[in-house]
Amino acid sequence: MPVFDGPLAQRGIGVIAPFDLALERELWRWVPMEVSLHLARTPYEPVPVSMEMAQLVSDSRHLAAATRDVLHVEPEVVAYLCTSGSFVNGIDYERSLCKAICDAGAPDAITTSGALAEVLQGLDLHKVSVLTPYDEDLTGKLHEFLTELDVETVSSDHLGLGGGIWKVSYRTIAERILAADHSEAEAVFVSCTNLPTFDLIEPLEAALGKPVLTANQLTMWACLKRMNLPIVGPGKWLRDVT
């Protein structure tokens, strides 16, 4: 009989995603081979991407229920993978979402906006440019969240989309990131876990000469940091944050 080794021992990340997430494949590109992602989704809400949707998908009761759905596969950390849902009510509410996830049984928790806060602090960034796919009102809530972090939004652009965010082309996203940048910005933050960005980060960082921070990138970085695993994927800044 031949000798069979494996399978490779897996370490899990629980991911709570909004019901409309379409970028699972991009998430897997951010993690090493020994990491498995276990996804749960918030309930379907028949509303467009908006302030209302951000409020609905960030209901702590839904996050607690989704956490319990993934606990049986023993994730080491559970991430709430949603930028707008984790910034829409400010820093205190973002922290309450992590508490709700841990109270439901998760060993550790992070949100996308919480990961953003950690990286901005770790890189000592105080001025950023912002690109979002949202409308003006929801984008304004991101500005308010950044202000709470003592980070100034020196320039901002938004796509004004009510749905289908995952369908936006790389060309469009790259053009809007370049247009959104400002000479005073120390980094560019691209919001929304449903906006594809993986292959844009390295060329845009080279073109702009500054970090390009994206939602899925930040979230996976924060999870791997908690698991003491090496960071994978593009982004020079990943190697600068201890």
Side-chain angles (χ1 to χ4, degrees), residues 115 165 171 175:
I165 292 171
R171 176 181 291 274
E175 289 174 349

Side-chain angles (χ1 to χ4, degrees), residues 13-17 63 67 76-83 86 93-102 106-119 145 193 215-227:
I13 297 174
V15 177
I16 302 171
L63 300 195
T67 299
E76 296 180 39
V77 58
V78 174
Y80 176 43
L81 187 87
C82 183
T83 324
S86 54
Y93 191 74
E94 184 277 327
R95 292 170 179 159
S96 78
L97 295 178
C98 289
K99 183 178 186 301
I101 293 170
C102 289
D108 205 344
I110 188 66
T111 75
T112 301
S113 297
L116 171 62
E118 289 184 9
V119 170
F145 184 84
T193 56
N216 288 331
Q217 174 199 50
L218 294 170
T219 312
M220 292 299 102
W221 166 84
C223 290
L224 294 175
K225 176 185 176 185
R226 283 157 172 75
M227 299 166 73

Side-chain angles (χ1 to χ4, degrees), residues 121-138:
Q121 181 179 16
L123 291 175
D124 194 27
L125 300 175
H126 299 281
K127 293 184 177 183
V128 298
S129 295
V130 166
L131 175 67
T132 86
Y134 319 130
D135 61 20
E136 185 175 0
D137 289 343
L138 190 52

Side-chain angles (χ1 to χ4, degrees), residues 106-180:
D108 205 344
I110 188 66
T111 75
T112 301
S113 297
L116 171 62
E118 289 184 9
V119 170
L120 292 174
Q121 181 179 16
L123 291 175
D124 194 27
L125 300 175
H126 299 281
K127 293 184 177 183
V128 298
S129 295
V130 166
L131 175 67
T132 86
Y134 319 130
D135 61 20
E136 185 175 0
D137 289 343
L138 190 52
T139 301
K141 284 293 183 181
L142 174 57
H143 298 171
E144 292 176 14
F145 184 84
L146 289 168
T147 298
E148 284 194 78
L149 297 174
D150 294 323
V151 175
E152 179 185 354
T153 304
V154 295
S155 61
S156 180
D157 190 13
H158 57 278
L159 305 180
L161 299 177
I165 292 171
W166 68 91
K167 300 176 184 178
V168 181
S169 70
Y170 270 166
R171 176 181 291 274
T172 297
I173 298 168
E175 289 174 349
R176 298 296 283 265
I177 290 173
L178 291 170

Side-chain angles (χ1 to χ4, degrees), residues 185-206:
E186 299 165 316
V188 180
F189 173 57
V190 186
S191 191
C192 190
T193 56
N194 222 7
L195 192 68
T197 58
F198 188 95
D199 297 297
L200 298 177
I201 294 169
E202 283 191 348
L204 288 178
E205 283 192 339

